């Protein structure tokens, strides 16, 4: 079923016209659940629509539910997009540089037909302002109790949309590796605030590095989904299409940041699941690492022991 599911993803992104075989009714239900679990319901709905032209029809009761889910995702994206733009504008008006990280920024790397179908998960905005200034900004919105931790302040403007204002980029608990990563992004601070249409976000090449670093720590500490990896695939395509990639030595940077082999594994997943072209990859894919990442993602569970065998130092630090 995984092979069929990966084919459905490629149909959704326009890389395949049709599946290798028509799913049975119960298999359509299984594909739907896989898409739900991997946070790709909206994206895969587009693929199911396309397959209708080839006579591959989703059972009627299921397609109605699927359509309703996709429409809800589109409506939610429209709302979150407006709120994201509003928060970024307000920060800018207060003289605070603001860059959209992932989330709604990642959606803008998707092809036009899929942008509104990427499942949103709140708003993450990075500002190079100090904690007190970010707290003051939140207080001025009328929020009485301002929550924050060592990396972000929580703006509670909407009950159904989480807003996280990052005043410091956080990269895991390994002090040596985290320090190197923070230093690299500080050195490339100007590239974190690039105007892209009406949105400000990291440059295409710096965004690729940010996503790979973020994937690394999220994979180890919380777990990731194929939606997160699709974000990476779309970011890589964007970087391949612009000039920045020509001046970035990705291999050197990823080795310096300690995530070179992990990134090789991610490139393998990019190829196996999303059909990413070699030209868009930043390092050579590595099957051993990639199979491990993909197995963990598809299992949908955070297996500490499995991760400890592959990343013992990081997993020991995660216990602190």
């Amino acid at each position: 079923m995984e092979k069929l599911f990966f084919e459905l993803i490629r149909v959704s992104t326009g890389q395949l016209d049709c599946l290798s075989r028509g799913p049975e009714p119960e298999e359509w239900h299984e594909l739907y659940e896989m898409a739900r679990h991997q946070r790709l319901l909206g994206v895969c709905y587009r693929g199911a629509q396309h397959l209708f032209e080839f006579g591959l029809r989703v059972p009627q009761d299921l397609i109605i539910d699927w359509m309703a889910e996709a429409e809800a995702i589109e409506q939610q994206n429209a709302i979150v997009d407006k709120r994201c733009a509003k928060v970024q504008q307000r920060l800018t008006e207060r003289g605070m540089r603001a860059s959209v990280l992932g989330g709604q920024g990642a959606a803008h790397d998707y092809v036009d037909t899929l942008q509104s179908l990427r499942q949103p998960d709140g708003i993450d905005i990075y500002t190079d302002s100090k904690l007190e200034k970010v707290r003051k900004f939140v207080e001025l919105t009328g929020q009485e109790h301002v929550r924050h931790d060592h990396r972000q302040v929580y703006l509670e403007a909407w009950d159904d949309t989480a807003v996280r204002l990052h005043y410091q980029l956080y990269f895991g608990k390994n002090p040596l590796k985290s320090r190197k990563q923070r230093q690299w992004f500080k050195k490339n601070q100007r590239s974190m605030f690039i105007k892209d249409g009406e949105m400000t976000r990291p440059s295409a090449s710096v965004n690729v590095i940010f996503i790979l670093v973020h994937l690394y720590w999220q994979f180890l500490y919380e777990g990731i989904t194929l939606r997160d990896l699709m974000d990476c695939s779309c970011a890589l395509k964007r970087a391949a299409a612009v000039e920045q990639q020509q001046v970035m030595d990705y291999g050197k940077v990823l080795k310096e940041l300690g995530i070179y082999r992990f990134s090789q594994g991610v490139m393998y997943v990019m190829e196996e699941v999303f059909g990413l072209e070699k030209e868009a990859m930043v390092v050579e894919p590595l099957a051993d690492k990639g199979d491990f990442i993909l197995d963990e993602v598809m299992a949908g569970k955070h297996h500490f022991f499995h991760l400890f065998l592959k990343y013992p130092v990081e997993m020991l630090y995660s216990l602190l």
Side-chain angles (χ1 to χ4, degrees):
M1 280 304 295
E2 283 188 5
K3 178 179 181 295
L4 207 58
F5 181 53
F6 298 158
E7 288 180 4
L8 177 60
I9 292 174
R10 293 197 192 189
V11 169
S12 304
T13 57
Q15 292 174 297
L16 282 180
D17 281 332
C18 193
L19 302 178
S20 57
R21 65 176 180 85
E24 297 295 328
E26 63 274 12
E27 290 180 317
W28 274 118
H29 283 272
E30 192 171 346
L31 289 170
Y32 172 85
E33 289 302 325
M34 292 174 79
R36 176 190 291 280
H37 187 74
Q38 296 298 334
R39 309 200 72 193
L40 290 174
L41 265 183
V43 169
C44 289
Y45 173 70
R46 183 67 76 216
Q49 279 185 311
H50 176 77
L51 290 171
F52 185 82
E53 300 174 12
F54 292 84
L56 300 183
R57 301 188 177 188
V58 181
Q60 188 171 6
D61 62 329
L62 179 59
I63 197 62
I64 291 173
D65 289 342
W66 207 337
M67 179 174 64
E69 295 268 14
E71 289 178 350
I73 290 171
E74 287 184 310
Q75 292 169 4
Q76 189 178 5
N77 265 313
I79 293 170
V80 177
D81 268 340
K82 290 179 181 178
R83 290 172 175 174
C84 183
K86 184 176 182 178
V87 174
Q88 190 168 44
Q89 180 184 353
R90 292 289 174 82
L91 285 164
T92 302
E93 289 171 353
R94 295 287 301 174
M96 303 165 68
R97 291 201 298 177
S99 179
V100 179
L101 302 177
Q104 299 314 103
H108 285 261
D109 290 334
Y110 282 51
V111 295
D112 292 344
T113 55
L114 295 179
Q115 279 188 13
S116 64
L117 289 168
R118 177 193 178 274
Q119 195 163 330
D121 51 6
I123 298 169
D124 288 274
I125 295 180
Y126 170 65
T127 175
D128 55 0
S129 301
K130 300 294 184 182
L131 170 59
E132 287 308 312
K133 191 170 184 178
V134 181
R135 280 181 55 89
K136 183 65 175 178
F137 170 81
V138 173
E139 288 172 355
L140 289 173
T141 67
Q143 185 172 318
E144 294 183 6
H145 304 289
V146 181
R147 295 187 301 117
H148 72 87
D149 55 31
H150 58 285
R151 53 175 169 162
Q152 59 201 4
V153 178
Y154 298 90
L155 174 61
E156 299 170 357
W158 302 281
D159 292 338
D160 58 347
T161 305
V163 182
R164 296 167 287 265
L165 304 178
H166 301 256
Y167 64 92
Q168 179 170 287
L169 295 176
Y170 169 75
F171 300 117
K173 296 183 178 180
N174 181 326
L176 178 60
K177 190 171 289 187
S178 297
R179 183 165 60 251
K180 285 183 178 180
Q181 292 169 358
R182 285 197 301 272
Q183 288 173 345
W184 188 88
F185 282 98
K186 186 175 182 179
K187 185 173 67 175
N188 292 274
Q189 185 85 318
R190 291 183 62 184
S191 295
M192 290 294 292
F193 301 93
I194 303 298
K195 193 71 174 176
D196 183 13
E198 296 182 358
M199 180 181 289
T200 297
R201 57 181 181 144
S203 70
S205 54
V206 169
N207 190 48
V208 166
I209 299 297
F210 174 79
I211 287 177
L212 287 170
V213 171
H214 182 68
L215 279 175
Y216 178 75
W217 294 112
Q218 191 175 1
F219 175 70
L220 294 179
Y221 293 170
E222 302 172 18
I224 59 177
T225 65
L226 286 182
R227 197 284 312 273
D228 302 310
L229 289 163
M230 180 172 278
D231 288 353
C232 183
S233 172
C234 295
L236 287 163
K237 288 180 181 179
R238 173 192 171 211
V242 297
E243 294 182 340
Q244 285 97 325
Q245 187 176 13
Q246 298 174 9
V247 297
M248 172 74 77
D249 187 341
Y250 286 105
K252 179 181 177 181
V253 171
L254 294 170
K255 286 177 181 177
E256 177 186 340
L257 300 184
I259 60 167
Y260 182 80
R261 286 174 64 82
F262 173 80
S263 299
Q264 286 187 293
V266 171
M267 294 307 116
Y268 176 82
V269 177
M270 297 294 100
E271 184 175 42
E272 288 294 301
V273 178
F274 304 106
L276 186 70
E277 301 82 359
K278 291 281 189 180
E279 296 75 20
M281 295 185 186
V282 293
V283 290
E284 285 295 316
L286 185 62
D288 176 55
K289 287 288 185 182
D291 281 333
F292 176 75
I293 293 171
L294 192 53
D295 286 346
E296 291 295 297
V297 170
M298 295 308 295
K301 295 181 179 179
H302 190 256
H303 296 114
F304 179 89
F305 182 70
H306 293 178
L307 293 165
F308 178 78
L309 293 177
K310 294 286 186 178
Y311 303 93
V313 174
E314 309 298 2
M315 297 317 293
L316 285 175
Y317 273 116
S318 75
L319 297 175
L320 299 179

